[in-house]
Amino acid sequence: CEELAGRFPRNYNAWTHRLWISNRLDNSDQELHFLRRWLDTHVTDYSAAHYAVTRATGDAEALTALRELCFALKARYPHLAQDRKGALVYLERCLSHAYFTGTFREPASPPP
């Protein structure tokens, strides 16, 4: 999946397949580490952002880590944070929805 997503950026089918596989494995920590690395270097990958939120749903720790990553990426790439249709805005909206529905707690430290 990583190879296909790298070869064909924003590959929805590769991310959907990865979700199907990862839901059958117990690799939450490895996936979170991979996703943080991937989103940090592929900040405009909307399909990866969708996968990240879908994969982390129901896992308060993973959602909190993604929220902190979202704050860091917005600070690092302010021009992308202004794009109302971009992956960062999508990620932020999904994470905000999870926050307001009580799926996860506030980060331990305030965003930079």
Side-chain angles (χ1 to χ4, degrees):
C1 296
E2 184 175 355
E3 182 181 333
L4 283 176
R7 237 191 280 171
F8 305 103
R10 298 170 197 86
N11 187 326
Y12 176 80
N13 292 324
W15 289 107
T16 301
H17 182 68
R18 187 180 187 100
L19 181 62
W20 183 80
I21 291 170
S22 69
N23 282 337
R24 284 147 181 78
L25 302 173
D26 184 24
N27 64 345
S28 297
D29 292 337
Q30 289 174 326
E31 266 312 274
L32 181 58
H33 177 71
F34 166 78
L35 282 169
R36 291 179 78 168
R37 216 179 56 237
W38 184 271
L39 289 170
D40 192 42
T41 57
H42 299 83
V43 73
T44 61
D45 191 339
Y46 192 96
S47 294
H50 175 75
Y51 170 83
V53 172
T54 304
R55 181 70 171 94
T57 298
D59 182 342
E61 197 172 308
L63 286 167
T64 300
L66 285 175
R67 187 167 187 238
E68 290 172 347
L69 175 64
C70 186
F71 285 131
L73 291 174
K74 283 178 62 175
R76 193 173 318 141
Y77 304 105
H79 63 287
L80 293 176
Q82 301 303 316
D83 179 5
R84 301 292 0 139
K85 297 178 184 174
L88 276 179
V89 172
Y90 172 78
L91 184 60
E92 181 181 39
R93 285 181 184 159
C94 289
L95 293 170
S96 293
H97 175 74
Y99 173 72
F100 287 116
T101 58
T103 308
F104 70 103
R105 64 187 183 285
E106 278 288 337
S109 59

